[in-house]
Amino acid sequence: MEIDCQTACPNGYYGPNCDDQCGNCVDGDVCIKTNGTCPGGCAAGWINDRCNHRNIALGRIARQSSTLTESTVRTGNTTHRYEAWYGVDGRATTDVHSKPLTCTHTNSGDQTWTVYLNNSNTDKIQQIKLYLRQHFPFRNKGMKIYVGGQLCFQWSHTTYPPAIADVECQQALTGNNLTIQTSDYLTLCEVQIFVCSHGWFGEDCDKQCHCSLNTEVCEKITGQCLGGCAPGYMEIDCQTACPNGYYGPNCDDQCGNCVDGDVYIKTNGTCPGGCAAGWINDRCNHHCHTNES
């Protein structure tokens, strides 16, 4: 930033012109100001290189239709209840007997498990990761996943998910809860639901929103901005720069006459190198008339 390009981005920002906001680095660490990565890794609940992909299920309230209670040597001769909240406690495993015990477990019969999310209406849910019990996978035949009561994904009555399952809903869904249903025992060791942080979108949250209103959060799957694209960008996802010769909102404005055919700035149409001979004003679109003697 700055004209002499000697000033580093302020803390919390990175990239060209310091326009990109850092993600959620561990322990409030500062991201690398050239590419936004977190050298120490991500804070709890955040993933990917820039730590801007969030697990919105972590630590949320969960309920299940029944809870298995066990008192055996395996649990140290103490009574243990395989409560619903173990499915969102942040400890991912496929070993139901791992210590400390960290998996949910219901009784037999038709069973459901639900997590209640504190998400915004811009958080369309599509990416889910399940950590299931590595033994007895057939118990999960016909498993169904619902988001806000809408069917996200289901396996047929003869198939079941692997112990670690990356699930993509058939379409992005909006809802403040997620329910998993089976017709047998239901054991979940961790359920993760990923959405992008505000200002980012795409499958890997690697595309930055370009909305005309600074306060608007773009749709986190498609990048669409209800208020339209920021000046200099076009198309539904607002990722395409204006074609040469045009600038501004919706790329409707035609560029002026920059010096030596210089490239103008596509957000506001100004010519950084000045105007071609005979043209004046910021956008070099006002012809300069001279009086000849």
Side-chain angles (χ1 to χ4, degrees):
M1 59 185 301
E2 304 296 343
I3 293 175
D4 61 3
C5 300
Q6 298 301 297
T7 304
C9 295
N11 287 343
Y13 292 86
Y14 73 96
N17 302 315
C18 302
D19 289 335
D20 300 326
Q21 193 165 2
C22 293
N24 298 270
C25 302
V26 67
D27 298 329
D29 200 8
V30 177
C31 74
I32 295 176
K33 297 183 179 183
T34 55
N35 58 20
T37 58
C38 295
C42 302
W46 297 87
I47 63 168
N48 83 7
D49 289 345
R50 295 184 178 87
C51 302
N52 59 3
H53 207 175
R54 181 167 60 107
N55 172 18
I56 60 173
L58 181 66
R60 305 307 306 169
I61 294 172
R63 305 241 192 280
Q64 58 192 14
S65 50
S66 68
T67 300
L68 179 69
T69 301
E70 191 174 39
S71 180
T72 66
V73 174
R74 208 165 39 229
T75 60
N77 287 321
T78 60
T79 299
H80 177 77
R81 287 175 56 82
Y82 293 86
E83 302 279 4
W85 65 270
Y86 285 119
V88 287
D89 66 356
R91 292 177 288 173
T93 180
T94 60
D95 181 3
V96 73
H97 303 306
S98 65
K99 298 295 180 64
L101 295 170
T102 183
C103 299
T104 73
H105 204 311
T106 68
N107 296 312
S108 63
D110 291 340
Q111 300 294 334
T112 60
W113 176 92
T114 300
V115 59
Y116 298 90
L117 309 169
N118 184 26
N119 54 324
S120 72
N121 58 10
T122 59
D123 291 338
K124 287 194 174 180
I125 294 170
Q126 192 162 28
Q127 292 179 285
I128 302 160
K129 190 166 191 139
L130 305 179
Y131 290 83
L132 306 171
R133 185 176 184 176
Q134 60 189 341
H135 301 112
F136 311 116
F138 55 85
R139 289 179 174 174
N140 296 319
K141 284 182 180 178
M143 178 182 279
K144 298 178 182 178
I145 301 176
Y146 296 90
V147 172
Q150 308 161 88
L151 183 64
C152 157
F153 192 88
Q154 73 175 100
W155 285 262
S156 74
H157 69 282
T158 59
T159 61
Y160 46 82
I164 300 177
D166 288 300
V167 181
E168 184 168 317
C169 292
Q170 296 164 339
Q171 60 180 336
L173 299 170
T174 301
N176 59 11
N177 61 71
L178 179 141
T179 297
I180 298 174
Q181 180 181 8
T182 66
S183 57
D184 203 339
Y185 292 99
L186 177 57
T187 305
L188 303 168
C189 293
E190 193 69 17
V191 177
Q192 299 172 337
I193 305 169
F194 292 109
V195 300
C196 299
S197 59
H198 288 352
W200 297 87
F201 75 98
E203 184 175 342
D204 296 316
C205 303
D206 57 348
K207 298 181 177 70
Q208 190 172 16
C209 300
H210 295 296
C211 296
S212 61
L213 301 174
N214 290 334
T215 56
E216 182 180 354
V217 176
C218 76
E219 204 281 321
K220 295 182 181 181
I221 303 294
T222 65
Q224 185 175 12
C225 301
L226 293 179
C229 301
Y233 295 95
M234 56 186 289
E235 306 297 350
I236 291 177
D237 62 0
C238 299
Q239 294 298 290
T240 304
C242 295
N244 288 339
Y246 293 86
Y247 73 95
N250 303 313
C251 301
D252 289 336
D253 300 321
Q254 195 163 2
C255 294
N257 300 269
C258 299
V259 66
D260 298 328
D262 198 9
V263 177
Y264 55 90
I265 297 174
K266 292 188 177 183
T267 56
N268 58 21
T270 58
C271 297
C275 301
W279 297 90
I280 60 172
N281 81 10
D282 288 345
R283 295 182 177 84
C284 303
N285 57 5
H286 195 166
H287 199 278
C288 178
H289 296 281
T290 58
N291 295 320
E292 296 183 0
S293 55

